[in-house]
Amino acid sequence: MKNHTLVQTSSSVRKSPYRTERRIHLIVIHCSATRDGVPYTPEQLERDHCAQGFGGAGYHFYIRRNGDIKTMRDIDRPGAHVRGHNAHSIGICYEGGLDTHGRPADTRTPWQKHSLRVVVAALLADYPGARVCGHRDLSPDLNGNGIVEPHEWTKLCPCFDVEREL
């Protein structure tokens, strides 16, 4: 990644690969909405997002089923992953989110769960006031009660309760 910001620690100065000059308020978790057991490579993700006009993968990070964390978009560049929130958010997507029959499901492997916790912890160290949420949690509050409830979700992504788990 380029243009890293230097971060002062108590004993030294280090480069933080997750630091940007953008004001980050949200860390948004997504699923790729691909079937369990069917690989969806970073190259396929990039191609599909380019075909949608996103100018590359819309997520900053992509977590493969084996736990590999792939950087997809430079952190200094706003994402293309959640309408109305891209300028001040970082997007993380995990491979999966559909069961073998194509129904929404939490298909994360233990490796993905671990890698997701690691990335989120690193991001929160750089953006301690950021809210961690799922894509579905940014759906409109249709009844105006201040809570986005399951019947208001426009998408089920990421197919698990991010705010409870992370």
Side-chain angles (χ1 to χ4, degrees), residues 10-150:
S10 58
S11 61
S12 67
V13 176
R14 68 176 173 85
K15 286 185 177 182
S16 172
Y18 303 127
R19 197 73 186 134
T20 180
E21 294 303 314
R22 292 189 305 121
R23 290 182 49 109
I24 301 301
H25 305 294
L26 292 169
I27 299 167
V28 185
I29 312 303
H30 301 264
C31 66
S32 63
T34 51
R35 289 178 188 233
D36 194 28
V38 178
Y40 188 59
T41 67
E43 295 78 20
Q44 289 171 303
L45 173 66
E46 181 96 20
R47 183 196 66 226
D48 291 347
H49 280 203
C50 282
Q52 294 177 50
F54 294 160
Y59 310 113
H60 295 92
F61 301 98
Y62 184 54
I63 302 175
R64 300 294 315 270
R65 285 188 174 91
N66 66 1
D68 284 353
I69 301 165
K70 304 294 184 186
T71 300
M72 301 300 296
R73 181 179 282 248
D74 192 288
I75 205 80
D76 289 327
R77 190 171 161 217
H81 58 96
V82 59
R83 187 179 311 242
H85 299 281
N86 290 317
H88 301 290
S89 67
I90 293 173
I92 305 169
C93 179
Y94 75 90
E95 180 180 13
L98 301 178
D99 67 16
T100 56
H101 302 288
R103 294 182 300 246
D106 182 0
T107 62
R108 292 174 300 147
T109 66
W111 301 285
Q112 284 175 308
K113 290 177 181 182
H114 173 77
S115 293
L116 184 58
R117 284 191 301 272
V118 167
V119 172
V120 168
L123 290 169
L124 286 174
D126 283 334
Y127 310 103
R131 173 185 172 208
V132 181
C133 64
H135 188 182
R136 70 187 188 188
D137 301 317
L138 297 173
S139 299
D141 178 13
L142 299 176
N143 63 9
N145 69 351
I147 301 168
V148 177
E149 298 160 302

